[in-house]
């Protein structure tokens, strides 16, 4: 099983020197991939308003900083950029990284950030459908003309051309989203709260995704099945509140083995707390899996 890690998002304010230190620790300690959340603003509840760094510029910096790990957004909201711009940014980061970029895509869900930054929050799935068609065709080096309800391009092409067809990962469990994307994507990812952060929950969800693959005319074996896993390192910080139980660090290795038996090809760890020390601790806890 591949094992990656998500860098800090909004658990606390983390400046670039620490982000870079955590990324270096992840690469040095053997993690296979590093992921960055793509959000603009969280507001409400009993916590102060907060937001992460811009995912795309951070990923470009990480592409230079690292040499081995795969990189990607977990996942980028297609609503935040025009599809042609997404394809160009993905191509650029993939080239900078030497072909280590995976383009995680979703429709977006946090209405607060949509409203705050002026993005339409209606017909999110329909907008996603048009966007991903344009993006995937541009990443395949096509000249694309598309006239949709929400997006239009005329003889668009990405230049300089992509060094390869950048792999796309879908971050959604919705039936309609699966139907739109599964015929085309290389991977599918689910957030830990979507399956209860349990092996049984993932196994059940995997069955639903396999059924959606069959309906879309896709062999499930062709798809990389990826699951985020919430992990409590030590006593945790409480900065990553969740209504599902976290996996204790002492149980992580056995949990990942069982998750693999349930059909997960990849696990992306969401650590609580997330810092350089916890990153190395988590890597040591699963050293036998590498």
């Amino acid at each position: 099983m591949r094992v990656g890690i998500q860098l800090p998002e909004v658990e606390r304010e983390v400046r670039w020197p620490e982000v870079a230190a955590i990324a270096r620790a992840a690469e040095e300690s053997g993690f296979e991939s590093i992921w960055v959340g793509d959000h603009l603003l969280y507001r409400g509840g009993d916590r102060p308003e907060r937001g992460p760094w811009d995912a795309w510029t951070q990923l470009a910096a990480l592409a230079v900083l690292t040499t081995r790990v795969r990189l990607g957004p977990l996942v980028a909201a297609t609503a935040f950029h025009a599809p042609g711009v997404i394809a160009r940014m993905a191509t650029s980061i993939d080239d900078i990284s030497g072909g280590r970029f995976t383009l995680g895509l979703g429709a977006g869900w946090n209405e607060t950030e949509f409203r705050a930054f002026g993005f339409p929050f209606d017909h999110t799935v329909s907008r996603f459908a048009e966007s991903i068609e344009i993006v995937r065709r541009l990443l395949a080096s096509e000249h694309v003309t598309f006239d949709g309800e929400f997006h239009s391009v005329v003889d668009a092409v990405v230049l300089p051309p992509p060094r390869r067809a950048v792999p796309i990962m879908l971050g959604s469990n919705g039936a309609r989203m699966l139907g739109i994307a599964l015929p085309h994507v290389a991977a599918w990812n689910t957030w830990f709260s979507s399956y209860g952060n349990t092996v049984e929950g993932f196994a059940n969800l995997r069955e639903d995704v396999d059924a959606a693959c069959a309906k879309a005319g896709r062999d499930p074996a062709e798809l990389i099945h990826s699951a985020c896993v919430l992990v409590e390192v030590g006593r945790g910080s409480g900065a990553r509140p969740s209504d599902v139980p976290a996996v204790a660090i002492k149980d992580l290795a056995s949990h990942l083995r069982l998750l693999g038996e349930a059909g997960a090809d990849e696990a992306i760890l969401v650590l609580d707390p997330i810092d350089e020390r916890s990153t190395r601790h988590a890597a040591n806890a699963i050293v036998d899996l590498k």
Side-chain angles (χ1 to χ4, degrees):
M1 173 189 283
R2 298 175 174 178
V3 183
I5 191 168
Q6 186 192 43
L7 295 183
E9 189 181 51
V10 293
E11 298 88 344
R12 56 193 173 87
E13 186 177 287
V14 181
R15 297 283 169 172
W16 172 250
E18 187 180 0
V19 173
I22 296 171
R24 289 192 187 98
E27 182 163 68
E28 290 168 1
S29 56
F31 283 107
E32 194 273 340
S33 58
I34 293 174
W35 303 86
V36 176
D38 181 31
H39 283 284
L40 309 176
L41 177 67
Y42 288 94
R43 182 181 284 151
D46 58 356
R47 303 183 68 195
E49 61 182 9
R50 57 214 184 277
W53 293 109
D54 172 70
W56 292 94
T57 49
Q58 293 274 302
L59 285 164
L62 290 166
V64 176
L65 180 75
T66 59
T67 61
R68 179 186 57 78
V69 290
R70 289 187 303 115
L71 304 165
L74 192 68
V75 290
T78 53
F80 296 163
H81 296 89
V85 173
I86 292 174
R88 284 180 53 81
M89 292 191 295
T91 297
S92 180
I93 296 174
D94 192 58
D95 196 69
I96 293 168
S97 69
R100 293 183 288 121
F101 185 72
T102 296
L103 177 56
L105 291 178
W109 58 269
N110 182 9
E111 184 174 359
T112 294
E113 58 193 350
F114 278 72
R115 300 301 185 200
F117 285 86
F119 297 110
F121 195 64
D122 63 289
H123 302 94
T124 55
V125 177
S126 296
R127 293 176 186 274
F128 171 85
E130 292 188 3
S131 183
I132 195 173
E133 178 173 347
I134 296 169
V135 169
R136 68 175 181 79
R137 291 173 60 190
L138 287 172
L139 292 178
S141 297
E142 291 185 32
H143 283 249
V144 181
T145 295
F146 182 91
D147 185 17
E149 182 178 356
F150 307 105
H151 297 289
S152 297
V153 293
V154 179
D155 198 24
V157 63
V158 172
L159 296 173
R163 66 162 59 208
R164 61 177 185 142
V166 176
I168 298 175
M169 180 177 76
L170 172 68
S172 177
N173 301 320
R176 189 174 167 210
M177 291 283 286
L178 292 169
I180 291 166
L182 285 181
H184 310 290
V185 298
W188 157 81
N189 173 265
T190 183
W191 191 243
F192 58 79
S193 58
S194 298
Y195 69 95
N197 209 44
T198 67
V199 172
E200 295 78 14
F202 179 81
N204 291 334
L205 185 55
R206 166 73 199 255
E207 290 181 0
D208 293 340
V209 173
D210 286 355
C213 278
K215 186 175 181 180
R218 184 79 182 275
D219 181 354
E222 297 175 354
L223 192 70
I224 295 171
H225 297 78
S226 171
C228 293
V229 180
L230 178 63
V231 182
E232 186 177 88
V233 183
R235 302 180 67 175
S237 67
R240 173 67 80 169
S242 176
D243 56 359
V244 300
V247 176
I249 190 69
K250 65 180 179 61
D251 300 323
L252 181 57
S254 60
H255 180 85
L256 294 183
R257 288 190 186 94
L258 292 173
L259 201 61
E261 292 174 5
D265 304 300
E266 176 179 56
I268 300 174
L269 307 186
V270 182
L271 304 181
D272 181 23
I274 172 62
D275 53 30
E276 184 178 355
R277 181 178 179 180
S278 65
T279 298
R280 295 188 185 278
H281 189 179
N284 289 335
I286 58 172
V287 67
D288 291 339
L289 295 178
K290 298 173 187 174

